[in-house]
Amino acid sequence: MSATPPVAGRRWRRPPLFIQSRLWRWVIYSGVLVYLVLAVGSLEVDWQRVYAGLERAQRFIGGFLVPDFVTRSDQIWRGMVESLTMTVCATVVGIAISVPIGIGAARNIAPWPVRVVCRAIIAVSRAFQEIVIAILFVAMFGFGPFAGFVTLSFTTIGFLSKLLADDIEEIDESQAEATRATGAGWWQIVNYGVQPQVMPRLIGLSLYRLDINFRESAVIGIVGAGGIGATLNTAMERYDYDTAGAILLLIILLVMAAEYGSSHIRKWIQ
Amino acid sequence: MLRIDALDKRYKTGDHALKGVSFTVERGQVVGLIGPSGAGKSTLIRCINRLVESSRGKVLLNDVEITGMSGSGLRRMRRRIGMIFQEYALVERLTVMENVLSGRLGYVPFWRSFLRRYPQADVDKAFALLDRVGLTDHVDKRADALSGGQRQRVGIARALEQDPELLLVDEPTASLDPKTSRQIMRLICEVCRERQLPAIINIHDVSLAQMFVDRIIGLRAGEVVFDGPPDGLDHAALTEIYGEEDWNQMRAEKEEDARDEEDAAAFEATRRERMEGIA
């Protein structure tokens, strides 16, 4: 080892992260800046319409500040119950279908033909946004919560199977190897070597998906898939902002409650 | 009795890990497998219970050929070969008892293991083994709540719960401190002698191996370069296994470790004296 004599005043700079050449760094960064300025400049803002919108927003906010829970309470109630039923059923059914698909899609435990099929199902389910799928299922099954239930189950599969499969692929292999070394069969390896490692995350993801499904149930109601979204849509179309405000407040409350509850459960199962 | 005949393993990456390894292990014999890292020790013992597939050659346990088995035949063979792992490889989130009972997975149907309804005989055996390895008080603790030495004891109990006819041990002491390492090695060798169980122990600590095993096999670059009693392992043999430079370095490290341990003991002694002086 050659000893370097200590010298004062040696300079040090953090090495650049992405672009090594100093010149290119300047060219690219300033190019991005110029583009941003031009892009913002090209926006045509019609201030008259903004002004009109502000007026409408005022009425909105006025409505939200005096939410009306009473006038259409039975409709709100029905919408809420429908949404919750839809959410819970879709989440349960979704999980039940996702778990086998997720196991089948994991590279380290499933043979490749099974994996290809499962990955394909996941890809189809993830390809479209909830609303697009909801429109399709409303067209198939007609208006109402059944279409919503099918939509949410379907999108749950894409979400949960993929994350479960990724999680299974990241397990500590030595635990599964040790289980295999005892002469365990495939199901036993999954039950002993894999399941204990992914269970906490699976429960956490399922609770998170319950959250998401409730929020989505409000959105897909707007395209006719039933639930509180349908009630909200009707209220908006009637310019009934007081009721709409009440519905939004209830949705916020429920989402908050679900969030609070699920974070508690997740902490408890760790 | 275990017989390994001209075992050859070439990985897809081109590494020639084992080059025609042959030897026989008699009943009740504890064999220490030593060699530099990358010599093929891990590959060799994994080829025996087919966690790794060998490319050529044969492995026979009690005159039954293991290589070439598949499906349920392979599983029935595996359940008779206990394995103990380097980083314990316990299922961390399961309890100590579940880990030990998992040694019976090859014997019980899926529903029993799934519902954790093992036959009473298996449970009795598990309790007896936990007694034997000194973990009676930790039956229902989760495996990740135990210390390293305790975990390895669970690993030993799991392997013995299989009623094995052969024990494969992969670097059992690699993540343990010197004192615990000696305890674990002693325990493994004791149970092997109690049960007349043949064992192959991968171990990188030469002096620890010499202390406990009956026979040493030295592996270098996938070939057996030494096979004999621990006393026969002289300077020349070790140089043959590890190469001149590495062996000298290992010895130097060993001496340094010993000095460190002495220093630590001396420090501990003076500290105790001081504490007594205060009290």
Side-chain angles (χ1 to χ4, degrees):
Chain A
M1 241 180 9
S2 62
T4 327
V7 183
R10 280 178 73 187
R11 288 174 56 77
W12 180 84
R13 262 165 175 266
R14 186 164 166 274
L17 273 178
F18 302 115
I19 309 156
Q20 295 300 327
S21 147
R22 207 188 171 102
L23 176 72
W24 275 110
R25 208 160 58 234
W26 275 104
V27 169
I28 290 171
Y29 285 167
S30 47
V32 169
L33 193 70
V34 169
Y35 174 78
L36 269 179
V37 170
L38 289 179
V40 171
S42 76
L43 282 179
E44 282 173 32
V45 184
D46 185 345
W47 290 106
Q48 214 130 43
R49 279 178 61 184
V50 171
Y51 183 73
L54 278 181
E55 218 170 41
R56 235 173 296 154
Q58 209 173 11
R59 257 188 293 143
F60 257 141
I61 293 164
F64 294 148
L65 287 180
V66 278
D68 180 0
F69 293 90
V70 186
T71 321
R72 300 192 189 281
S73 63
D74 57 325
Q75 278 177 33
I76 297 177
W77 177 247
R78 225 180 312 131
M80 273 295 174
V81 170
E82 215 170 82
S83 257
L84 283 173
T85 316
M86 215 156 85
T87 305
V88 173
C89 291
T91 309
V92 170
V93 170
I95 294 168
I97 303 175
S98 306
V99 169
I101 294 181
I103 293 173
R107 194 181 325 117
N108 48 353
I109 55 173
W112 73 265
V114 179
R115 195 168 70 240
V116 169
V117 173
C118 291
R119 285 281 172 187
I121 296 173
I122 293 175
V124 170
S125 166
R126 285 169 60 81
F128 302 103
Q129 224 273 328
E130 275 88 349
I131 305 240
V132 181
I133 294 170
I135 291 171
L136 185 74
F137 281 130
V138 168
M140 275 167 71
F141 301 115
F143 290 99
F146 183 71
F149 158 73
V150 178
T151 305
L152 292 179
S153 306
F154 187 71
T155 49
T156 301
I157 294 170
F159 175 88
L160 217 56
S161 311
K162 177 171 168 33
L163 292 176
L164 178 63
D166 290 354
D167 207 32
I168 291 176
E169 285 173 1
E170 276 164 27
I171 59 164
D172 171 12
E173 286 288 348
S174 69
Q175 299 182 29
E177 187 189 34
T179 314
R180 184 171 325 117
T182 64
W186 189 85
W187 288 104
Q188 289 173 322
I189 295 172
V190 170
N191 184 217
Y192 277 73
V194 177
Q195 189 196 331
Q197 296 190 58
V198 298
M199 209 55 191
R201 198 162 138 77
L202 178 61
I203 294 174
L205 286 172
S206 302
L207 289 168
Y208 181 45
R209 189 64 213 184
L210 192 73
D211 265 29
I212 298 178
N213 277 350
F214 182 71
R215 267 179 285 147
E216 293 299 336
S217 82
V219 177
I220 60 176
I222 294 171
V223 296
I228 193 69
T231 321
L232 180 66
N233 198 30
T234 316
M236 290 289 222
E237 276 168 359
R238 285 184 189 139
Y239 302 107
D240 187 357
Y241 294 134
D242 304 358
T243 305
I247 293 172
L248 287 181
L249 278 179
L250 282 175
I251 291 177
I252 292 171
L253 274 180
L254 263 168
V255 169
M256 270 169 68
E259 169 74 38
Y260 187 73
S262 64
S263 74
H264 253 270
I265 296 177
R266 261 177 284 177
K267 224 177 283 164
W268 175 64
I269 54 166
Q270 262 312 308
Chain B
M1 191 189 80
L2 175 76
R3 193 152 69 88
I4 293 175
D5 194 14
L7 200 66
D8 216 83
K9 171 67 189 175
R10 194 189 281 275
Y11 282 102
K12 275 188 205 134
T13 51
D15 289 338
H16 203 171
L18 297 175
K19 299 170 190 162
V21 173
S22 300
F23 59 86
T24 308
V25 182
E26 298 299 332
R27 220 172 128 73
Q29 190 176 51
V30 177
V31 177
L33 195 60
I34 64 171
S37 50
K41 300 184 302 250
S42 247
T43 306
L44 176 55
I45 69 164
R46 280 176 169 73
C47 280
I48 295 173
N49 64 356
R50 301 267 307 276
L51 290 175
V52 169
E53 292 297 336
S54 53
S55 313
R56 230 174 316 124
K58 281 188 209 162
V59 178
L60 292 96
L61 180 62
N62 298 334
D63 297 322
V64 183
E65 192 179 332
I66 298 175
T67 35
M69 281 186 160
S70 64
S72 63
L74 175 61
R75 285 206 306 277
R76 267 199 298 280
M77 182 52 75
R78 269 188 190 146
R79 72 185 186 189
R80 289 156 55 199
I81 304 176
M83 190 158 179
I84 297 170
F85 294 83
Q86 176 170 0
E87 304 270 358
Y88 330 121
L90 302 178
V91 182
E92 301 277 317
R93 287 178 188 278
L94 294 185
T95 62
V96 168
M97 191 45 137
E98 280 170 303
N99 269 290
V100 176
L101 284 173
S102 76
R104 299 307 290 179
L105 285 178
Y107 294 89
V108 301
F110 176 70
W111 70 269
R112 272 194 184 275
S113 63
F114 183 76
L115 299 173
R116 310 297 197 255
R117 296 244 178 246
Y118 286 86
Q120 187 58 43
D122 293 356
V123 178
D124 289 342
K125 195 191 327 247
F127 272 118
L129 282 169
L130 284 171
D131 246 2
R132 175 67 184 82
V133 300
L135 289 174
T136 316
D137 301 333
H138 304 281
V139 174
D140 283 329
K141 270 193 194 157
R142 247 168 64 162
D144 53 9
L146 301 182
S147 70
Q150 289 173 326
R151 286 190 207 193
Q152 196 54 290
R153 285 163 193 275
V154 179
I156 294 169
R158 173 175 64 187
L160 295 176
E161 177 80 10
Q162 285 176 243
D163 280 330
E165 292 163 31
L166 169 71
L167 212 53
L168 303 174
V169 190
D170 190 15
E171 297 281 5
T173 61
S175 25
L176 299 174
D177 63 73
K179 188 171 165 225
T180 318
S181 295
R182 284 193 293 275
Q183 291 171 344
I184 291 292
M185 277 300 283
R186 184 172 301 123
L187 180 62
I188 291 174
C189 295
E190 271 174 16
V191 294
C192 285
R193 269 155 213 150
E194 281 166 19
R195 292 156 188 257
Q196 283 295 298
L197 200 60
I200 300 181
I201 306 181
N202 272 355
I203 188 161
H204 67 276
D205 189 333
V206 177
S207 56
L208 196 63
Q210 280 176 305
M211 225 183 289
F212 292 103
V213 304
D214 307 321
R215 171 183 167 194
I216 282 183
I217 292 178
L219 215 56
R220 178 178 189 177
E223 281 171 299
V224 176
V225 292
F226 177 87
D227 187 350
D231 310 333
L233 202 61
D234 52 15
H235 183 71
L238 284 163
T239 311
E240 169 77 23
I241 298 170
Y242 287 99
E244 184 88 50
E245 208 173 310
D246 283 353
W247 167 237
N248 285 334
Q249 195 185 334
M250 273 171 69
R251 208 167 39 175
E253 275 168 17
K254 200 80 207 165
E255 276 162 17
E256 206 169 303
D257 281 353
R259 267 204 306 280
D260 284 349
E261 225 170 313
E262 271 169 39
D263 286 352
F267 175 77
E268 184 66 14
T270 52
R271 192 187 64 96
R272 203 167 301 140
E273 268 170 37
R274 265 209 315 276
M275 296 299 279
E276 273 160 16
I278 293 167

